Coordinates of all heavy atoms in Angstrom, one line a residue:
S249 N 11.9 -4.1 0.3 CA 13.0 -4.9 -0.1 C 12.7 -6.4 0.2 O 11.9 -6.7 1.1 CB 14.3 -4.5 0.6 OG 14.2 -4.9 2.0
P250 N 13.2 -7.3 -0.6 CA 12.9 -8.7 -0.3 C 13.3 -9.1 1.1 O 12.6 -9.9 1.7 CB 13.8 -9.4 -1.3 CG 13.9 -8.5 -2.5 CD 14.0 -7.1 -1.8
Q251 N 14.4 -8.6 1.7 CA 14.8 -8.9 3.0 C 13.8 -8.4 4.0 O 13.4 -9.1 5.0 CB 16.2 -8.3 3.4 CG 16.7 -8.7 4.7 CD 16.8 -10.2 4.9 OE1 17.2 -10.9 4.0 NE2 16.4 -10.7 6.1
A252 N 13.2 -7.2 3.8 CA 12.2 -6.7 4.7 C 11.0 -7.5 4.7 O 10.3 -7.8 5.7 CB 11.9 -5.2 4.4
L253 N 10.6 -8.0 3.5 CA 9.4 -8.9 3.4 C 9.7 -10.2 4.1 O 8.8 -10.7 4.8 CB 9.1 -9.2 1.9 CG 8.5 -8.0 1.1 CD1 8.3 -8.5 -0.3 CD2 7.3 -7.5 1.7
M254 N 10.9 -10.7 4.1 CA 11.2 -12.0 4.8 C 11.0 -11.8 6.3 O 10.7 -12.8 7.0 CB 12.6 -12.5 4.5 CG 12.8 -12.9 3.0 SD 11.6 -14.2 2.5 CE 12.0 -15.5 3.6
N255 N 11.2 -10.6 6.8 CA 11.1 -10.4 8.3 C 9.7 -10.1 8.7 O 9.4 -9.9 9.9 CB 12.1 -9.2 8.7 CG 13.5 -9.6 8.5 OD1 13.9 -10.8 8.6 ND2 14.3 -8.7 8.1
L256 N 8.8 -10.0 7.8 CA 7.4 -9.7 8.1 C 6.7 -10.9 8.6 O 6.5 -11.9 8.0 CB 6.7 -9.2 6.8 CG 5.3 -8.6 6.9 CD1 5.3 -7.3 7.7 CD2 4.7 -8.4 5.5
T257 N 6.3 -10.8 9.9 CA 5.7 -12.0 10.6 C 4.2 -11.7 10.8 O 3.5 -12.6 11.2 CB 6.4 -12.2 12.0 OG1 6.3 -11.1 12.7 CG2 7.8 -12.6 11.8
G258 N 3.8 -10.5 10.6 CA 2.4 -10.1 10.7 C 2.1 -8.8 10.0 O 3.1 -8.2 9.5
P259 N 0.9 -8.4 9.9 CA 0.6 -7.2 9.1 C 1.0 -5.9 9.8 O 1.2 -4.9 9.1 CB -0.9 -7.2 8.9 CG -1.4 -8.1 9.9 CD -0.3 -9.1 10.3
Q260 N 1.1 -5.8 11.1 CA 1.3 -4.5 11.8 C 2.5 -3.7 11.3 O 2.4 -2.5 11.2 CB 1.3 -4.8 13.3 CG 0.0 -5.2 13.8 CD -1.1 -4.2 13.5 OE1 -0.9 -3.0 13.5 NE2 -2.3 -4.7 13.1
P261 N 3.7 -4.3 11.2 CA 4.9 -3.5 10.8 C 4.7 -2.7 9.4 O 5.0 -1.6 9.3 CB 6.0 -4.5 10.7 CG 5.6 -5.6 11.6 CD 4.2 -5.7 11.5
L262 N 4.1 -3.4 8.5 CA 3.8 -2.8 7.2 C 2.7 -1.7 7.3 O 2.8 -0.6 6.7 CB 3.5 -3.8 6.1 CG 3.3 -3.2 4.7 CD1 4.5 -2.5 4.2 CD2 2.9 -4.3 3.7
L263 N 1.7 -2.0 8.1 CA 0.6 -1.0 8.3 C 1.2 0.3 8.9 O 0.9 1.4 8.5 CB -0.4 -1.5 9.3 CG -1.2 -2.8 8.8 CD1 -2.2 -3.2 9.8 CD2 -1.8 -2.6 7.4
R264 N 2.0 0.1 10.0 CA 2.6 1.3 10.6 C 3.5 2.1 9.6 O 3.5 3.3 9.6 CB 3.4 0.9 11.9 CG 2.5 0.5 13.0 CD 3.3 0.4 14.3 NE 4.3 -0.7 14.3 CZ 4.0 -2.0 14.6 NH1 2.8 -2.3 15.0 NH2 5.0 -2.8 14.5
H265 N 4.3 1.4 8.9 CA 5.2 2.0 7.9 C 4.4 2.8 6.9 O 4.7 4.0 6.6 CB 6.0 0.9 7.2 CG 6.7 1.5 6.0 ND1 7.8 2.3 6.1 CD2 6.4 1.3 4.6 CE1 8.2 2.6 4.8 NE2 7.4 2.0 4.0
M266 N 3.3 2.2 6.3 CA 2.5 2.9 5.3 C 1.8 4.1 5.9 O 1.7 5.1 5.2 CB 1.5 2.0 4.7 CG 2.2 0.8 3.9 SD 3.3 1.4 2.6 CE 2.2 1.7 1.3
Q267 N 1.4 4.0 7.2 CA 0.8 5.2 7.8 C 1.7 6.4 7.8 O 1.3 7.5 7.7 CB 0.3 4.9 9.2 CG -1.0 4.1 9.2 CD -1.4 3.8 10.6 OE1 -0.6 3.7 11.6 NE2 -2.7 3.8 10.8
T268 N 3.0 6.1 8.0 CA 4.0 7.2 8.0 C 4.1 7.9 6.6 O 4.5 9.0 6.5 CB 5.4 6.8 8.4 OG1 6.0 5.9 7.5 CG2 5.4 6.1 9.8
K269 N 3.6 7.2 5.6 CA 3.6 7.7 4.2 C 2.2 8.3 3.9 O 1.9 8.6 2.7 CB 4.0 6.7 3.2 CG 5.3 6.0 3.6 CD 6.5 6.9 3.5 CE 7.8 6.2 3.8 NZ 8.9 7.1 4.0
L270 N 1.3 8.4 4.9 CA -0.1 8.9 4.7 C -0.9 7.9 3.8 O -1.8 8.4 3.1 CB -0.1 10.3 4.2 CG 0.6 11.3 5.1 CD1 0.6 12.7 4.5 CD2 0.0 11.3 6.5
I271 N -0.6 6.7 3.9 CA -1.4 5.6 3.2 C -1.9 4.7 4.3 O -1.1 4.1 5.1 CB -0.5 4.8 2.2 CG1 0.0 5.8 1.1 CG2 -1.3 3.7 1.6 CD1 1.1 5.2 0.2
H272 N -3.2 4.6 4.4 CA -3.8 4.0 5.5 C -4.5 2.6 5.1 O -4.8 2.4 4.0 CB -4.9 4.9 6.2 CG -4.3 6.2 6.6 ND1 -3.6 6.4 7.7 CD2 -4.3 7.4 6.0 CE1 -3.2 7.6 7.9 NE2 -3.6 8.2 6.8
C273 N -4.6 1.8 6.1 CA -5.2 0.4 5.8 C -6.6 0.3 6.3 O -7.0 0.7 7.4 CB -4.3 -0.6 6.6 SG -4.8 -2.3 6.1
I274 N -7.5 -0.2 5.4 CA -8.9 -0.4 5.7 C -9.0 -1.8 6.3 O -9.7 -2.0 7.3 CB -9.7 -0.4 4.4 CG1 -9.6 1.0 3.7 CG2 -11.2 -0.7 4.7 CD1 -10.2 1.0 2.3
A275 N -8.3 -2.8 5.8 CA -8.4 -4.1 6.3 C -7.1 -4.9 5.9 O -6.4 -4.5 4.9 CB -9.6 -4.9 5.7
S276 N -6.8 -5.9 6.7 CA -5.6 -6.7 6.4 C -5.9 -8.1 7.0 O -6.7 -8.3 7.9 CB -4.3 -6.1 6.9 OG -4.4 -6.1 8.4
G277 N -5.1 -9.1 6.5 CA -5.3 -10.4 7.0 C -4.3 -11.4 6.4 O -3.5 -11.0 5.6
G278 N -4.4 -12.6 6.8 CA -3.6 -13.7 6.3 C -2.6 -14.2 7.3 O -2.5 -13.7 8.5
Q279 N -1.9 -15.2 6.9 CA -0.8 -15.7 7.8 C 0.4 -16.0 6.8 O 0.2 -16.2 5.6 CB -1.3 -17.1 8.4 CG -2.4 -16.9 9.4 CD -2.8 -18.3 9.9 OE1 -2.3 -19.3 9.5 NE2 -3.8 -18.3 10.8
A280 N 1.6 -16.0 7.4 CA 2.7 -16.2 6.6 C 2.6 -17.5 5.9 O 2.1 -18.5 6.4 CB 4.0 -16.2 7.5
P281 N 2.9 -17.6 4.6 CA 3.6 -16.6 3.8 C 2.8 -15.6 3.0 O 3.3 -14.9 2.2 CB 4.4 -17.5 2.8 CG 3.5 -18.6 2.5 CD 2.8 -18.9 3.9
N282 N 1.4 -15.6 3.2 CA 0.6 -14.8 2.4 C -0.2 -13.8 3.3 O -0.8 -14.1 4.2 CB -0.5 -15.6 1.6 CG 0.2 -16.5 0.6 OD1 0.9 -16.1 -0.3 ND2 0.0 -17.8 0.8
F283 N 0.0 -12.5 2.9 CA -0.8 -11.4 3.6 C -1.5 -10.6 2.5 O -1.0 -10.4 1.4 CB 0.2 -10.5 4.4 CG 0.8 -11.2 5.5 CD1 2.1 -11.7 5.4 CD2 0.2 -11.4 6.7 CE1 2.8 -12.3 6.5 CE2 0.8 -12.0 7.8 CZ 2.1 -12.5 7.7
K284 N -2.7 -10.1 2.9 CA -3.4 -9.2 2.0 C -3.8 -8.0 2.7 O -4.1 -8.0 3.9 CB -4.7 -9.9 1.5 CG -5.5 -9.1 0.5 CD -6.7 -9.8 0.0 CE -6.4 -10.8 -1.1 NZ -7.7 -11.3 -1.7
F285 N -3.6 -6.8 2.1 CA -3.8 -5.5 2.6 C -4.8 -4.7 1.7 O -4.6 -4.8 0.5 CB -2.5 -4.7 2.8 CG -1.5 -5.4 3.6 CD1 -0.6 -6.3 3.1 CD2 -1.5 -5.2 5.0 CE1 0.3 -6.9 3.9 CE2 -0.5 -5.8 5.8 CZ 0.4 -6.7 5.2
F286 N -5.6 -3.9 2.3 CA -6.4 -3.0 1.5 C -6.1 -1.6 2.0 O -6.4 -1.3 3.2 CB -7.9 -3.3 1.6 CG -8.3 -4.6 1.0 CD1 -8.3 -5.8 1.8 CD2 -8.6 -4.7 -0.3 CE1 -8.7 -7.0 1.2 CE2 -8.9 -5.9 -0.9 CZ -9.0 -7.0 -0.2
F287 N -5.4 -0.8 1.2 CA -4.9 0.5 1.6 C -5.8 1.6 0.9 O -6.3 1.3 -0.2 CB -3.5 0.7 1.2 CG -2.5 -0.1 1.9 CD1 -1.9 -1.2 1.3 CD2 -2.1 0.2 3.2 CE1 -0.9 -2.0 2.0 CE2 -1.2 -0.6 3.9 CZ -0.6 -1.7 3.3
F288 N -5.8 2.8 1.5 CA -6.4 3.9 0.8 C -5.6 5.2 1.1 O -4.9 5.2 2.1 CB -7.9 4.1 1.2 CG -8.0 4.7 2.6 CD1 -8.3 6.1 2.7 CD2 -8.0 3.9 3.7 CE1 -8.4 6.6 4.0 CE2 -8.1 4.5 5.0 CZ -8.4 5.9 5.1
A289 N -5.7 6.1 0.2 CA -5.1 7.4 0.4 C -6.1 8.4 -0.2 O -6.9 8.1 -1.0 CB -3.8 7.5 -0.2
Q290 N -5.9 9.7 0.2 CA -6.8 10.7 -0.3 C -5.9 11.9 -0.6 O -5.0 12.3 0.1 CB -7.8 11.1 0.8 CG -8.7 12.2 0.4 CD -9.7 12.5 1.5 OE1 -9.6 12.0 2.6 NE2 -10.7 13.4 1.2
K291 N -6.2 12.5 -1.7 CA -5.6 13.8 -2.1 C -6.7 14.9 -2.1 O -7.7 14.8 -2.8 CB -5.0 13.8 -3.6 CG -4.5 15.1 -4.0 CD -4.1 15.0 -5.5 CE -3.6 16.3 -5.9 NZ -4.6 17.3 -6.4
T292 N -6.5 15.8 -1.2 CA -7.5 16.9 -1.1 C -7.0 18.1 -1.8 O -6.0 18.7 -1.5 CB -7.7 17.2 0.4 OG1 -8.1 16.0 1.1 CG2 -8.8 18.3 0.6
A293 N -7.8 18.5 -2.8 CA -7.5 19.7 -3.6 C -8.0 20.9 -2.9 O -7.4 22.0 -2.8 CB -8.0 19.5 -5.0
T294 N -9.3 20.9 -2.5 CA -9.9 22.0 -1.8 C -10.8 21.4 -0.7 O -10.9 20.2 -0.6 CB -10.8 22.8 -2.8 OG1 -11.9 22.0 -3.2 CG2 -10.0 23.3 -4.0
V295 N -11.5 22.2 0.0 CA -12.4 21.8 1.0 C -13.5 20.9 0.5 O -13.9 19.9 1.1 CB -13.0 23.0 1.8 CG1 -14.0 22.5 2.8 CG2 -11.8 23.7 2.5
T296 N -13.9 21.2 -0.8 CA -15.1 20.4 -1.3 C -14.7 19.3 -2.3 O -15.5 18.6 -2.7 CB -16.0 21.4 -2.0 OG1 -15.3 22.1 -3.0 CG2 -16.6 22.4 -1.0
T297 N -13.4 19.3 -2.8 CA -13.0 18.3 -3.7 C -11.8 17.5 -3.2 O -10.9 18.0 -2.6 CB -12.6 18.9 -5.1 OG1 -11.5 19.7 -4.9 CG2 -13.8 19.7 -5.7
S298 N -11.9 16.2 -3.5 CA -10.8 15.3 -3.2 C -10.8 14.1 -4.1 O -11.8 13.8 -4.7 CB -10.8 14.9 -1.7 OG -12.0 14.2 -1.4
S299 N -9.6 13.4 -4.1 CA -9.5 12.2 -4.9 C -9.2 11.1 -4.0 O -8.4 11.3 -3.0 CB -8.4 12.4 -6.0 OG -8.7 13.4 -6.8
Y300 N -9.7 9.9 -4.3 CA -9.4 8.7 -3.5 C -8.6 7.7 -4.3 O -8.9 7.5 -5.5 CB -10.7 8.1 -3.0 CG -11.4 9.0 -2.1 CD1 -12.4 9.9 -2.5 CD2 -11.1 9.0 -0.7 CE1 -13.1 10.8 -1.6 CE2 -11.8 9.9 0.2 CZ -12.7 10.7 -0.3 OH -13.4 11.6 0.6
F301 N -7.8 7.0 -3.6 CA -6.9 5.9 -4.2 C -7.1 4.7 -3.3 O -6.9 4.8 -2.1 CB -5.5 6.4 -4.2 CG -5.2 7.7 -4.8 CD1 -5.2 8.9 -4.1 CD2 -5.1 7.8 -6.2 CE1 -5.0 10.1 -4.7 CE2 -4.9 9.0 -6.8 CZ -4.8 10.1 -6.1
L302 N -7.4 3.6 -3.9 CA -7.5 2.3 -3.2 C -6.5 1.3 -3.8 O -6.3 1.3 -5.0 CB -9.0 1.8 -3.4 CG -10.1 2.7 -3.0 CD1 -11.4 2.1 -3.4 CD2 -10.0 2.9 -1.5
V303 N -6.0 0.5 -2.9 CA -5.0 -0.5 -3.3 C -5.2 -1.8 -2.6 O -5.3 -1.8 -1.4 CB -3.5 0.0 -3.0 CG1 -2.5 -1.0 -3.5 CG2 -3.3 1.4 -3.6
E304 N -5.3 -2.9 -3.4 CA -5.3 -4.2 -2.9 C -3.9 -4.7 -3.0 O -3.4 -4.7 -4.2 CB -6.3 -5.1 -3.6 CG -6.2 -6.6 -3.2 CD -6.9 -7.5 -4.1 OE1 -6.9 -7.3 -5.3 OE2 -7.4 -8.5 -3.6
C305 N -3.3 -5.0 -1.9 CA -1.8 -5.4 -2.0 C -1.7 -6.8 -1.4 O -2.1 -7.1 -0.3 CB -1.1 -4.4 -1.1 SG 0.7 -4.7 -1.1
I306 N -1.1 -7.7 -2.2 CA -0.9 -9.1 -1.8 C 0.6 -9.3 -1.7 O 1.3 -9.1 -2.6 CB -1.5 -10.1 -2.8 CG1 -3.0 -9.8 -2.9 CG2 -1.3 -11.5 -2.4 CD1 -3.7 -10.4 -4.1
V307 N 1.0 -9.7 -0.5 CA 2.4 -10.0 -0.2 C 2.6 -11.5 0.0 O 1.9 -12.1 0.8 CB 2.9 -9.2 1.1 CG1 4.3 -9.6 1.4 CG2 2.7 -7.7 0.9
N308 N 3.5 -12.0 -0.8 CA 3.8 -13.4 -0.7 C 5.3 -13.5 -0.3 O 6.2 -13.2 -1.0 CB 3.6 -14.2 -2.0 CG 3.9 -15.6 -1.9 OD1 5.0 -16.0 -1.7 ND2 2.8 -16.5 -2.0
L309 N 5.5 -14.0 0.9 CA 6.8 -14.1 1.5 C 7.7 -15.1 0.8 O 8.9 -15.0 0.7 CB 6.8 -14.3 3.0 CG 6.0 -13.3 3.8 CD1 6.0 -13.7 5.3 CD2 6.6 -11.9 3.6
A310 N 7.0 -16.2 0.4 CA 7.8 -17.3 -0.2 C 8.4 -16.9 -1.6 O 9.5 -17.2 -1.8 CB 6.9 -18.5 -0.5
S311 N 7.7 -16.1 -2.3 CA 8.2 -15.7 -3.6 C 8.8 -14.3 -3.5 O 9.4 -13.8 -4.5 CB 7.1 -15.6 -4.7 OG 6.1 -14.6 -4.3
K312 N 8.8 -13.7 -2.3 CA 9.3 -12.3 -2.1 C 8.8 -11.3 -3.0 O 9.4 -10.4 -3.6 CB 10.8 -12.4 -2.2 CG 11.5 -13.3 -1.2 CD 13.0 -13.3 -1.4 CE 13.6 -14.4 -0.6 NZ 15.0 -14.7 -0.9
K313 N 7.4 -11.4 -3.3 CA 6.8 -10.5 -4.2 C 5.6 -9.8 -3.5 O 5.0 -10.3 -2.6 CB 6.3 -11.2 -5.4 CG 7.4 -11.8 -6.2 CD 6.9 -12.3 -7.5 CE 8.1 -12.8 -8.3 NZ 8.0 -12.8 -9.7
C314 N 5.4 -8.6 -4.1 CA 4.2 -7.8 -3.6 C 3.5 -7.4 -4.9 O 4.0 -6.8 -5.8 CB 4.7 -6.5 -2.9 SG 3.5 -5.3 -2.6
I315 N 2.2 -7.8 -5.0 CA 1.4 -7.5 -6.1 C 0.3 -6.5 -5.7 O -0.4 -6.7 -4.7 CB 0.7 -8.8 -6.7 CG1 1.8 -9.8 -7.1 CG2 -0.3 -8.4 -7.8 CD1 1.2 -11.1 -7.4
A316 N 0.2 -5.4 -6.4 CA -0.8 -4.4 -6.1 C -1.7 -4.1 -7.2 O -1.3 -4.0 -8.4 CB 0.0 -3.1 -5.7
N317 N -3.0 -4.0 -6.9 CA -4.1 -3.6 -7.8 C -4.6 -2.3 -7.4 O -5.0 -2.1 -6.2 CB -5.2 -4.7 -7.8 CG -4.7 -6.0 -8.3 OD1 -4.1 -6.1 -9.4 ND2 -4.8 -7.0 -7.5
Y318 N -4.6 -1.3 -8.3 CA -5.0 0.1 -8.0 C -6.4 0.4 -8.5 O -6.7 0.0 -9.6 CB -4.0 1.0 -8.5 CG -2.5 0.8 -8.1 CD1 -1.7 -0.1 -8.8 CD2 -2.0 1.4 -6.9 CE1 -0.4 -0.3 -8.4 CE2 -0.7 1.1 -6.5 CZ 0.1 0.3 -7.3 OH 1.4 0.1 -6.9
K319 N -7.1 1.2 -7.8 CA -8.3 1.8 -8.3 C -8.3 3.3 -7.8 O -8.0 3.6 -6.7 CB -9.5 1.1 -7.7 CG -9.6 -0.4 -8.2 CD -10.9 -0.9 -7.9 CE -10.9 -2.4 -8.2 NZ -11.2 -2.8 -9.5
M320 N -8.8 4.2 -8.7 CA -8.8 5.6 -8.3 C -9.9 6.3 -9.1 O -10.3 5.8 -10.2 CB -7.5 6.2 -8.5 CG -6.8 6.0 -9.8 SD -5.0 6.0 -9.8 CE -4.7 4.5 -8.9
D321 N -10.4 7.4 -8.5 CA -11.4 8.1 -9.2 C -10.9 9.2 -10.2 O -11.7 9.8 -10.9 CB -12.5 8.7 -8.2 CG -11.9 9.6 -7.2 OD1 -10.6 9.8 -7.2 OD2 -12.6 10.1 -6.4
E322 N -9.7 9.4 -10.2 CA -9.1 10.4 -11.2 C -7.9 9.7 -11.9 O -6.8 9.7 -11.5 CB -8.6 11.6 -10.5 CG -9.7 12.6 -10.1 CD -9.1 13.9 -9.7 OE1 -8.3 14.5 -10.5 OE2 -9.5 14.4 -8.7
P323 N -8.2 9.1 -13.1 CA -7.2 8.3 -13.8 C -6.0 9.2 -14.2 O -4.9 8.6 -14.3 CB -7.9 7.9 -15.1 CG -9.4 7.9 -14.7 CD -9.5 9.0 -13.7
D324 N -6.1 10.5 -14.3 CA -4.9 11.3 -14.7 C -3.9 11.4 -13.6 O -2.8 11.8 -13.8 CB -5.4 12.7 -15.2 CG -6.2 13.4 -14.2 OD1 -7.0 12.8 -13.5 OD2 -6.0 14.7 -14.0
L325 N -4.3 11.0 -12.3 CA -3.4 11.0 -11.2 C -2.8 9.6 -10.9 O -2.0 9.4 -10.0 CB -4.1 11.5 -9.9 CG -4.6 12.9 -10.0 CD1 -5.4 13.2 -8.7 CD2 -3.5 13.9 -10.1
S326 N -3.2 8.6 -11.7 CA -2.9 7.2 -11.5 C -1.4 7.0 -11.4 O -0.9 6.4 -10.5 CB -3.5 6.3 -12.5 OG -3.1 6.5 -13.8
Q327 N -0.6 7.5 -12.4 CA 0.8 7.2 -12.5 C 1.5 7.9 -11.3 O 2.4 7.3 -10.7 CB 1.4 7.8 -13.8 CG 2.8 7.3 -14.0 CD 3.0 5.8 -14.0 OE1 2.2 5.1 -14.5 NE2 4.1 5.3 -13.4
S328 N 1.1 9.0 -10.9 CA 1.7 9.7 -9.7 C 1.5 8.9 -8.4 O 2.4 8.7 -7.7 CB 1.1 11.1 -9.5 OG 1.4 11.9 -10.6
F329 N 0.3 8.4 -8.2 CA 0.0 7.7 -7.0 C 0.7 6.3 -7.0 O 1.2 5.9 -6.0 CB -1.5 7.5 -6.8 CG -1.7 6.7 -5.5 CD1 -1.5 7.2 -4.3 CD2 -2.1 5.4 -5.6 CE1 -1.7 6.5 -3.1 CE2 -2.3 4.6 -4.5 CZ -2.1 5.2 -3.2
V330 N 0.7 5.7 -8.2 CA 1.4 4.4 -8.3 C 2.9 4.6 -7.9 O 3.4 3.7 -7.1 CB 1.3 3.8 -9.7 CG1 2.2 2.6 -9.9 CG2 -0.2 3.3 -9.9
E331 N 3.5 5.6 -8.3 CA 4.9 5.9 -8.0 C 5.1 6.1 -6.5 O 6.0 5.6 -5.9 CB 5.5 7.0 -8.8 CG 5.6 6.7 -10.3 CD 6.5 5.5 -10.6 OE1 7.5 5.3 -9.9 OE2 6.1 4.7 -11.4
I332 N 4.1 6.9 -5.9 CA 4.2 7.1 -4.5 C 4.1 5.8 -3.7 O 4.8 5.6 -2.8 CB 3.1 8.1 -4.1 CG1 3.4 9.5 -4.6 CG2 2.9 8.2 -2.6 CD1 2.3 10.5 -4.5
F333 N 3.1 5.0 -4.1 CA 2.9 3.7 -3.4 C 4.1 2.8 -3.5 O 4.5 2.2 -2.6 CB 1.6 3.0 -3.9 CG 1.2 1.9 -3.1 CD1 0.4 2.0 -2.0 CD2 1.6 0.6 -3.4 CE1 0.1 0.9 -1.2 CE2 1.2 -0.5 -2.7 CZ 0.5 -0.3 -1.5
K334 N 4.6 2.7 -4.7 CA 5.8 1.8 -5.0 C 6.9 2.3 -4.1 O 7.7 1.5 -3.5 CB 6.2 1.8 -6.4 CG 5.3 0.9 -7.3 CD 5.9 1.0 -8.7 CE 5.1 0.2 -9.7 NZ 5.6 0.2 -11.1
S335 N 7.2 3.6 -4.1 CA 8.3 4.1 -3.3 C 8.1 3.8 -1.8 O 9.1 3.4 -1.2 CB 8.3 5.6 -3.5 OG 9.3 6.2 -2.7
A336 N 6.9 3.9 -1.3 CA 6.6 3.6 0.1 C 6.9 2.2 0.4 O 7.5 1.8 1.4 CB 5.2 4.0 0.4
I337 N 6.4 1.3 -0.5 CA 6.7 -0.2 -0.3 C 8.2 -0.5 -0.4 O 8.7 -1.3 0.4 CB 5.9 -1.0 -1.3 CG1 4.4 -1.0 -1.0 CG2 6.4 -2.4 -1.4 CD1 3.9 -1.8 0.2
Q338 N 8.9 0.1 -1.3 CA 10.3 -0.2 -1.5 C 11.2 0.2 -0.4 O 12.2 -0.5 -0.1 CB 10.8 0.4 -2.8 CG 10.2 -0.3 -4.1 CD 10.5 0.4 -5.3 OE1 10.9 1.6 -5.4 NE2 10.4 -0.3 -6.5
V339 N 10.8 1.2 0.4 CA 11.6 1.6 1.5 C 11.2 0.9 2.8 O 11.8 1.2 3.8 CB 11.7 3.2 1.7 CG1 12.3 3.8 0.4 CG2 10.3 3.7 2.0
F340 N 10.2 0.1 2.8 CA 9.8 -0.7 4.0 C 11.0 -1.5 4.5 O 11.7 -2.2 3.7 CB 8.6 -1.6 3.7 CG 8.3 -2.5 4.8 CD1 7.8 -2.0 6.0 CD2 8.5 -3.9 4.7 CE1 7.5 -2.9 7.1 CE2 8.1 -4.7 5.7 CZ 7.7 -4.2 6.9
G341 N 11.3 -1.3 5.7 CA 12.4 -2.1 6.4 C 13.8 -1.5 6.2 O 14.8 -2.0 6.7
S342 N 13.9 -0.3 5.5 CA 15.2 0.3 5.4 C 15.4 1.3 6.5 O 14.6 1.8 7.2 CB 15.4 1.1 4.1 OG 14.5 1.0 3.2

């Protein structure tokens, strides 16, 4: 929510929140009002096969916006993962 973003003073609260949604952070940085996060998630189908999802997420507190760029190795799963990621971000701070 825009209010939750306004209360973001560092990357840690968002990192912890996303971990509860099984989306993990590779790297993060920045200072208010701009933060950048690199998230990843994995879908394991079997012991030998899995899919990876990578997200570059830029949060701008001044504009109250979150811009995400997605990369994944299985395009047919892209819409499902985008919805999961958006849902996780939208409930941050609630």
Side-chain angles (χ1 to χ4, degrees):
S249 71
Q251 184 59 40
L253 289 178
M254 291 305 297
N255 295 329
L256 190 65
T257 57
Q260 291 305 317
L262 183 57
L263 299 180
R264 286 191 298 272
H265 167 75
M266 296 303 278
Q267 281 181 330
T268 67
K269 308 297 182 189
L270 300 177
I271 300 171
H272 303 281
C273 188
I274 300 168
S276 64
Q279 295 179 359
N282 296 301
F283 294 100
K284 186 180 272 192
F285 302 89
F286 293 94
F287 292 106
F288 78 95
Q290 179 180 7
K291 177 186 178 274
T292 303
T294 67
V295 174
T296 58
T297 63
S298 58
S299 299
Y300 294 94
F301 306 94
L302 303 173
V303 182
E304 175 191 34
C305 182
I306 301 166
V307 175
N308 183 291
L309 303 179
S311 66
K312 301 177 188 168
K313 293 193 181 203
C314 173
I315 299 169
N317 296 304
Y318 304 91
K319 296 194 188 275
M320 51 211 70
D321 59 359
E322 282 195 49
D324 57 320
L325 297 175
S326 64
Q327 190 59 39
S328 297
F329 179 72
V330 168
E331 292 303 318
I332 290 167
F333 189 84
K334 281 183 181 180
S335 175
I337 288 286
Q338 288 173 342
V339 298
F340 172 65
S342 353

